[in-house]
Amino acid sequence: MKRLFEDDTAPSEMPKFVRIDDITQVVNTENIEDFTNIHLKPFETSSTWSDQYLSSLNIHRRPFNFQIELVQSAIQSGNSIICLRTGAGKTYTCALLIKYYYLKKKQEHPDEHFSTFFFVPNRSIREQQVEAIRSVGDLQVIGCDDDSTADAFAAFYNVVVCTPQKFLNCLMDKTVHFNEIDLIVFDECHHCIGRHPYSQVMEQYLVYHSSEEKRPRILGLTASCGTKLTNPKAIIDELAQGKNNPLGKLYELCATLNCYDVVTVVISEHQKELDSTIPQPTQNQILTVQQNSFELYLESLKNKFCSLLQYIGSRCSPEISAYLNEQQLIEEKIEAEKKNNFTNIVLVKYMIMFVKRFDALSDLPLKAVMMDIKKKLDSFYSKKETPMPVESDVYNYCLNTIGNINEEIKHGEYYSTNPKLDFLTDQLKEQIKKRNANARGLILVSRTLYAKLILDYLKERQDIQNMIKPCWLVGQSGVDYQNSLSEQDRTLKEFRQGLANVMIATDIVQEGLDVAECSFMMRYEFVSGVIGTVQSRGRARADKSACFLIVGFSSINHTKEITNRMREKEMLAALNRWREVPRDKSNQDIQRVQNIVIQEWQDQAKNAEFLRNSLIDSTAMDGKVSCRSCNSYLGNISWLRKLGMNHFIPERQLVTQVEIERFEKPEIHKEIQVTGKVICGNQQCREDLGGTQQISNRTDLKEMCTLKCKQLKFSYKDNKGEERTYTFKKWSDITFKIVEIEPTQR
């Protein structure tokens, strides 16, 4: 047995081992056939795993010692949270733990199926996590794609990687059960707060399934637990007035996830290994840019924008102040929707668009912003076949004003750039020059508008054509610009292959997504919370990498980042203090916090049940469904039907109130064919209300007009007999029952 504990050289006939950071990975094609002769004691206790031992487990990627420490600490602790910095192999560490529990079950219950659900916060990182888990061998791993349900794979695969909502849907439909699952993993588990689907999974686990004899183990993965308490009352007056918010956050996170330990690298030799083998940025700086002369230049331009906003506001009825705050305008739009004030709804959309561009003037090229405004104005107006006279007036006024402004500024020195963008470009050139030809960098921005316009700016700069090859990556749901999943995949592939060396991206890559090892990372006027500060730094993984934040001097983002860095230090101090708290004391405190969390969930459940029982039957309601923007009648509430997560009105009933824009070729998602878009039939409105779908094996349903709840309003009588209008953010918030159609039999 000695050789199983020693790190001696493997015999020549043994497979070659690779480190986790090697580019080349070994694909395991063989499977363990005899589980009875596998010794798991070394897995649990030995500080060194020999090549021979790893080979016996069919593991061909040698883990680091700090990863072995985390694996063994998690085994000893049971339900636990692994806290390890970005880029250090949390997923591979987790994969080793999954493999351990798989082997253990194969020994103890050889005829039973081993099942793990691995939750990812967004689908963009699903496939990369699948590959990381497969690398430990033997495990049958599948990613639950957008067109599938999680239960379809549970009986045939050892690990199903999916979003938590996919799992919740099956749990609520009773097609998956906790007592059939061995392990559930929460990737980026710091999201387990509020009403996030992670929290809803744990609510089911702790409230509705707490009496089950067998429930799965739980494992959380994160690079930063965060510091913001989301439920301060549940931290028992901040641990009896200890006033240590970060430590309180650890208790809250553990209580919500039913974990009793936060596992970190403790052994000093392993910490040194982590620091030496998983490089951190050698530079981590806040770079402030003073734009005094440019700010003076912008003053007159901003005054013109303010005058434009005042004009649009004056055409509203009642008039709306020229807010320069996007949130205030959004509230004005919501108020107009409640009052069926179509004029204000339409014009406030123009105001919101201008305010977004107003905020971008100091960060993006004036030329690009002006062109984007023209493009957006045209997109607003051109979709209306017969716009309201007031919208025509506003459109023409805005078009003329923007044209005049553009003529005034197009010969100025700042038309095609500005000092902050020049500074960004200089930093890019400096970083690329000082590194090898394969160097790649990442620019993180706050909005899709920024990503697209900076991409165009870099492509147009003739002086950097041979040096900077930019690409961009944003999500599918951006307001101004989007990337489809295929576009995202193509961009990542080009970046990884070096066809592009600078990627401009929104926070889709800040957390979790495995981009190629970046030599430098720059956040351009983008600061989220403390977790974002930690996560973004982890994107720069190459040796001697650099990490920068570029912000205006003394700006809001500048102050916010300084605060984030202070909170990060607080969290590190809390993790150190966590180790000093006696285990029985921390367990007691976690249990006390959890009792309060559970009580709050139970109270919420009672309120929800009361509301469900009081819901009106929609088939008996005398109510109507209308377009939220223009209030045009779309159909009766009694026409609404529900199939799975889709809410629709049959096409034959809705067709006279809407127009359907047919796709040239249907988008096929397994049995569902998306055949077109549903557009409001009011020629002054033309809002996108949803899509048309057909289910190939449900000819009885014919064509469905699947509707977006956020684009609708509902009118019906309240309990006093008075007709009122209601709007809801999502279908789950509605206050009446909708007839459910039986799902397709699988």
Side-chain angles (χ1 to χ4, degrees), residues 289-301 360-370 405-406 408-423 457 461:
V289 183
Q290 290 185 312
Q291 307 183 87
N292 297 334
S293 61
F294 180 62
E295 289 296 339
L296 291 173
Y297 176 82
L298 282 180
E299 278 304 311
S300 62
L301 186 57
L361 288 175
S362 60
D363 303 326
L364 299 172
L366 300 184
K367 175 184 176 182
V369 175
M370 303 304 282
I405 293 173
N406 199 55
E408 289 178 27
I409 66 175
K410 71 179 183 180
H411 299 298
E413 62 175 313
Y414 296 121
Y415 186 55
S416 298
T417 184
N418 66 49
K420 196 184 294 183
L421 266 177
D422 287 340
F423 184 82
Y457 165 77
R461 284 272 301 246

Side-chain angles (χ1 to χ4, degrees), residues 473-707:
L473 186 72
V474 299
Q476 293 178 280
S477 56
V479 175
D480 296 304
Y481 296 95
Q482 307 87 29
N483 285 159
S484 66
L485 285 175
S486 60
E487 289 172 332
Q488 291 174 13
D489 291 341
R490 183 169 62 251
T491 298
L492 285 169
K493 184 177 180 180
E494 289 176 355
F495 190 61
R496 287 167 177 151
Q497 292 175 343
L499 299 176
N501 63 357
V502 173
M503 180 190 289
I504 308 108
T506 53
D507 59 358
I508 189 173
V509 302
Q510 178 169 281
E511 180 178 87
L513 195 61
D514 185 20
V515 296
E517 287 191 359
C518 294
S519 302
F520 57 91
M521 188 282 300
M522 298 179 186
R523 283 180 290 156
Y524 186 69
E525 282 293 352
F526 176 39
V527 180
S528 52
V530 60
I531 290 174
T533 292
V534 174
Q535 296 277 11
S536 62
R537 191 185 307 139
R539 299 300 107 200
R541 301 183 185 181
D543 189 31
K544 297 180 181 179
S545 61
C547 183
F548 304 103
L549 169 66
I550 298 175
V551 289
F553 182 73
S554 296
S555 64
I556 294 174
N557 278 337
H558 187 194
T559 303
K560 190 175 179 181
E561 177 68 8
I562 292 172
T563 303
N564 283 348
R565 295 187 180 207
M566 291 173 59
R567 288 176 175 167
E568 182 185 0
K569 291 179 180 178
E570 288 179 353
M571 177 49 64
L572 292 174
L575 286 169
N576 289 330
R577 184 178 169 189
W578 175 271
R579 302 181 193 123
E580 298 171 358
V581 179
R583 178 56 64 86
D584 58 346
K585 173 69 166 59
S586 65
N587 286 354
Q588 290 174 6
D589 285 339
I590 291 170
Q591 187 61 61
R592 291 163 62 202
V593 174
Q594 188 181 86
N595 290 341
I596 298 175
V597 171
I598 290 174
Q599 184 60 56
E600 291 185 351
W601 277 338
Q602 289 173 334
D603 292 343
Q604 292 169 6
K606 288 179 182 177
N607 291 335
E609 182 65 23
F610 175 79
L611 290 173
R612 278 195 296 271
N613 291 335
S614 61
L615 289 180
I616 309 168
D617 182 355
S618 63
T619 59
M621 289 176 66
D622 182 17
K624 65 180 182 179
V625 184
S626 306
C627 170
R628 187 177 295 196
S629 288
C630 69
N631 199 39
S632 292
Y633 169 78
L634 298 175
N636 296 339
I637 287 178
S638 60
W639 295 355
L640 284 168
R641 295 293 182 268
K642 178 183 178 183
L643 178 62
M645 300 301 290
N646 292 323
H647 295 75
F648 65 95
I649 292 177
E651 185 266 348
R652 61 184 179 275
Q653 292 175 303
L654 187 64
V655 72
T656 57
Q657 330 308 331
V658 299
E659 282 192 21
I660 297 175
E661 291 185 0
R662 299 290 178 188
F663 297 152
E664 288 185 13
K665 186 178 181 181
E667 298 174 0
I668 299 175
H669 305 275
K670 294 200 171 176
E671 71 271 13
I672 296 176
Q673 293 186 31
V674 182
T675 55
K677 289 202 306 185
V678 178
I679 307 296
C680 177
N682 182 348
Q683 294 182 347
Q684 294 181 330
C685 178
R686 316 298 285 156
E687 283 291 331
D688 178 2
L689 302 178
T692 54
Q693 295 183 0
Q694 286 184 314
I695 300 180
S696 57
N697 56 353
R698 291 296 298 268
T699 54
D700 58 310
L701 297 178
K702 298 189 177 178
E703 188 166 58
M704 305 180 299
C705 291
T706 306
L707 302 173

Side-chain angles (χ1 to χ4, degrees), residues 93-149:
T93 302
C94 172
L96 291 169
L97 274 164
I98 297 173
K99 180 71 175 277
Y100 167 79
Y101 289 120
Y102 166 79
L103 295 173
K104 191 174 179 66
K105 183 163 187 177
K106 283 294 183 181
Q107 287 188 341
E108 296 174 353
H109 305 284
D111 297 328
E112 294 183 11
H113 177 66
F114 175 82
S115 177
T116 291
F117 275 87
F118 186 105
F119 301 141
V120 291
N122 57 73
R123 58 190 178 189
S124 61
I125 64 174
R126 181 177 56 213
E127 291 309 312
Q128 75 176 41
Q129 305 302 62
V130 167
E131 293 306 314
I133 298 168
R134 280 179 181 159
S135 67
V136 298
D138 296 294
L139 299 172
Q140 298 296 314
V141 189
I142 187 82
C144 181
D145 59 86
D146 297 341
D147 303 326
S148 302
T149 57

Side-chain angles (χ1 to χ4, degrees), residues 92 99 183 269 396 435 699 731:
Y92 186 67
K99 180 71 175 277
L183 175 68
E269 291 82 1
N396 290 321
R435 301 175 189 279
T699 54
W731 285 106

Side-chain angles (χ1 to χ4, degrees), residues 331-349:
E331 290 170 5
E332 289 281 1
K333 178 173 170 287
I334 293 171
E335 189 64 24
E337 289 170 347
K338 291 178 181 177
K339 295 179 179 179
N340 299 330
N341 189 334
F342 184 44
T343 298
N344 282 19
I345 292 169
V346 171
L347 298 187
V348 169
K349 287 181 181 179

